[in-house]
């Protein structure tokens, strides 16, 4: 159990560092890094607070403390994936609307250019 | 530039993706059988000569900056038609399977019936049109699913030969299903209490290119469309309940 908690601590710290570096290099935007940072922090705190983890295990009726850790981690990531699916869906809608608008504006531009060329001739 | 002419202005839109083998004939046949009506080819970022061939054949072309899929491509055409003020829009596929001689019948039905949508149907009467075995099973299945939702039978719910009037155009220019739009579009219109009619038409076998719905994709297609139908029913039922305070 202790080894598992240590591994979780190391992974959480690695994740925190990775996310902070990515934000610094502008690979991900600050607003999208918050979810990852929060998830990493929660995992870090849980891995260093064994009594808290055991309290949750007892009260939730989970048979095993490591299972509690995995359940919490799993739930966090499922919530994050859902959140990112919502963000991706919105971005796709915006992207389609923009592409359609670009096409329509290009069509108008081309038509006006052709008309003015015809008038000049 | 295309402009609406007269009170019953009509625009024919032709969504196309890599259809250089068929698009020229499609545009020319529309010009032959529906004289004086502008044709707008909606190019979904083709990598072949579709744009050039369509322009040579006398069509205007709306070129999308990247591939959006059928729904996004058709909606771009609806948006432009709505902004330009067209009263009727008829969609014909760019693969040459629809017969341009059927366009006047769809147009007449749109004008005389007052319906928001008219579907060119392969199965409204026996006319020799055929489709693959897998596809025909899918069509039968969706007929069954749609019957209670639409409140009347629809013979050819997957037909891409569709005419709409300005009211449907206004709705579709704001909201249109993005993938496999035909069936969902019917539900969208029905939930707004719009009406549709079917007109018998012929469908020719595809001579060039390939259908986007392969046998492998059929299951995904069915699941996707079913989910879309279900979501649309729930969405509009919820809206109706909220409006009535239920």
């Amino acid at each position: 159990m202790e080894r598992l908690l240590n591994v979780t601590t190391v992974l959480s710290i690695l994740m925190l560092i990775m996310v902070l570096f990515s934000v610094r290099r502008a690979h991900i935007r600050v607003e999208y890094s918050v979810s990852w940072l929060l998830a990493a922090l929660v995992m870090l705190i849980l891995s260093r607070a064994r009594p808290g983890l055991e309290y949750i295990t007892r009260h939730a009726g989970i048979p095993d403390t490591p299972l509690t850790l995995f359940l919490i981690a799993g739930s966090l990531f499922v919530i994050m994936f859902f959140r990112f699916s919502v963000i991706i869906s919105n971005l796709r809608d915006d992207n389609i609307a923009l592409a359609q608008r670009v096409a329509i504006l290009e069509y108008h531009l081309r038509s006006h250019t052709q008309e003015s060329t015809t008038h000049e001739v | 530039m295309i402009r609406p002419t007269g009170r019953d202005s009509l625009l024919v839109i032709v969504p196309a993706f890599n259809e250089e083998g068929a698009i020229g004939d499609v545009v020319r046949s529309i010009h032959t059988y529906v004289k004086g009506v502008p044709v707008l080819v909606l190019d979904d970022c083709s990598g072949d000569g579709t744009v050039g061939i369509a322009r040579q054949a006398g069509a205007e072309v709306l070129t999308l900056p990247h591939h959006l899929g059928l729904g996004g491509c058709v909606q771009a055409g609806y948006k432009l038609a709505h902004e330009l003020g067209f009263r009727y829009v008829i969609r014909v596929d760019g693969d040459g399977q629809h017969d341009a001689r059927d366009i006047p019948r769809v147009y007449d039905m749109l004008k005389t019936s007052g319906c928001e949508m008219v579907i060119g149907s392969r199965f409204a009467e026996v006319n020799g049109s055929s489709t693959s075995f897998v596809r025909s099973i899918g069509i039968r299945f969706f007929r069954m699913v749609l019957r209670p939702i639409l409140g009347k039978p629809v013979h050819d719910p997957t037909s891409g030969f569709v005419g709409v009037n300005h009211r449907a155009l206004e709705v579709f220019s704001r909201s249109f299903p993005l993938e496999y739009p035909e069936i969902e579009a019917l539900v969208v219109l029905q939930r707004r209490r719009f009406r549709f009619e079917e007109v018998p038409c012929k469908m020719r076998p595809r001579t060039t290119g390939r259908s986007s719905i392969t046998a492998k994709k059929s299951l995904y297609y069915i699941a996707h469309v079913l989910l879309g139908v279900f979501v649309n029913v729930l969405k509009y039922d919820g809206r109706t309940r909220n409006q009535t305070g239920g």
Side-chain angles (χ1 to χ4, degrees):
Chain A
M1 176 67 191
E2 200 56 46
R3 189 177 287 177
L4 175 74
L5 291 176
N6 288 338
V7 170
T8 309
T9 306
V10 172
L11 285 177
S12 306
I13 291 169
L14 277 177
M15 197 168 142
L16 276 171
I17 293 169
M18 199 176 77
V19 173
L20 287 172
F21 264 95
S22 299
V23 174
R24 191 171 157 267
R25 288 177 185 172
H27 288 167
I28 53 173
R29 295 182 63 85
V30 177
E31 58 266 36
Y32 299 130
S33 69
V34 175
S35 318
W36 288 111
L37 289 173
L38 271 177
L41 267 176
V42 169
M43 292 311 293
L44 181 63
I45 291 166
L46 282 176
S47 66
R48 289 297 91 201
R50 190 169 175 171
L53 207 55
E54 282 168 349
Y55 176 83
I56 296 169
T57 306
R58 268 198 314 278
H59 283 79
I62 302 166
D64 208 9
T65 312
L67 190 61
T68 310
L69 191 65
F70 279 113
L71 270 177
I72 292 170
S75 308
L76 275 174
F77 286 108
V78 165
I79 291 166
M80 282 172 59
F81 287 139
F82 179 75
R83 187 176 123 77
F84 285 120
S85 293
V86 172
I87 292 168
I88 290 168
S89 299
N90 287 336
L91 282 175
R92 181 162 156 74
D93 285 347
D94 293 346
N95 183 278
I96 287 169
L98 274 174
Q100 289 172 335
R101 186 50 50 198
V102 166
I104 289 171
L105 288 174
E106 273 183 352
Y107 173 79
H108 286 307
L109 189 67
R110 188 184 157 88
S111 301
H112 284 299
T113 312
Q114 272 177 347
E115 275 172 18
S116 52
T117 312
T118 315
H119 282 301
E120 278 169 23
V121 173
Chain B
M1 183 176 179
I2 48 173
R3 283 197 182 87
T5 48
R7 217 179 121 256
D8 293 328
S9 52
L10 170 68
L11 173 68
V12 177
I13 59 171
V14 187
F17 177 61
N18 291 339
E19 295 288 3
E20 65 177 4
I23 197 70
D25 289 337
V26 170
V27 173
R28 277 187 290 273
S29 70
I30 296 169
H31 281 144
T32 304
Y33 296 112
V34 203
K35 290 198 190 307
V37 168
V39 179
L40 178 69
V41 170
L42 313 166
D43 175 57
D44 200 5
C45 206
S46 298
D48 61 1
T50 300
V51 174
I53 292 170
R55 284 201 177 114
Q56 272 174 7
E60 294 276 327
V61 182
L62 184 72
T63 47
L64 290 160
H66 61 86
H67 186 65
L68 294 186
L70 182 61
C73 174
V74 171
Q75 193 189 27
Y78 284 149
K79 278 185 179 175
L80 181 61
H82 180 60
E83 286 175 18
L84 292 173
F86 280 93
R87 195 165 176 83
Y88 301 103
V89 173
I90 294 176
R91 174 193 147 194
V92 177
D93 282 349
D95 54 14
Q97 287 186 286
H98 298 140
D99 193 335
R101 281 173 288 199
D102 291 323
I103 295 175
R105 270 194 288 160
V106 173
Y107 183 41
D108 286 342
M109 181 61 97
L110 272 171
K111 285 192 293 184
T112 55
S113 68
C115 285
E116 279 75 16
M117 182 192 263
V118 172
I119 302 168
S121 170
R122 289 162 281 183
F123 313 113
E125 65 181 34
V126 180
N127 58 14
S129 294
S130 62
T131 186
S132 70
F133 176 68
V134 178
R135 208 178 174 121
S136 68
I137 289 175
I139 291 169
R140 276 165 206 261
F141 173 71
F142 280 114
R143 272 186 208 160
M144 222 166 56
V145 171
L146 289 172
R147 175 73 182 82
I149 298 170
L150 301 178
K152 69 185 246 189
V154 54
H155 295 92
D156 196 359
T158 62
S159 173
F161 190 9
V162 173
V164 294
N165 73 2
H166 62 286
R167 287 188 292 273
L169 199 56
E170 201 257 330
V171 171
F172 287 158
S173 63
R174 278 188 284 111
S175 152
F176 194 67
L178 290 176
E179 271 187 279
Y180 316 124
E182 292 85 5
I183 294 173
E184 276 184 64
L186 271 170
V187 180
V188 169
L189 286 189
Q190 197 281 332
R191 301 326 268 182
R192 288 169 190 269
R193 311 222 190 297
F194 285 178
R195 292 167 303 141
F196 74 92
E197 286 293 340
E198 286 182 277
V199 166
C201 76
K202 275 190 179 164
M203 192 156 159
R204 294 185 287 240
R206 179 186 267 272
T207 51
T208 63
R210 276 188 301 176
S211 170
S212 59
I213 303 169
T214 57
K216 265 188 195 170
K217 283 187 184 171
S218 295
L219 278 178
Y220 172 73
Y221 173 87
I222 291 172
H224 188 291
V225 174
L226 265 182
L227 184 64
V229 168
F230 183 63
V231 167
N232 273 297
V233 169
L234 283 183
K235 194 157 68 179
Y236 287 98
D237 275 358
R239 194 174 292 173
T240 312
R241 269 200 299 275
N242 288 341
Q243 280 165 358
T244 53

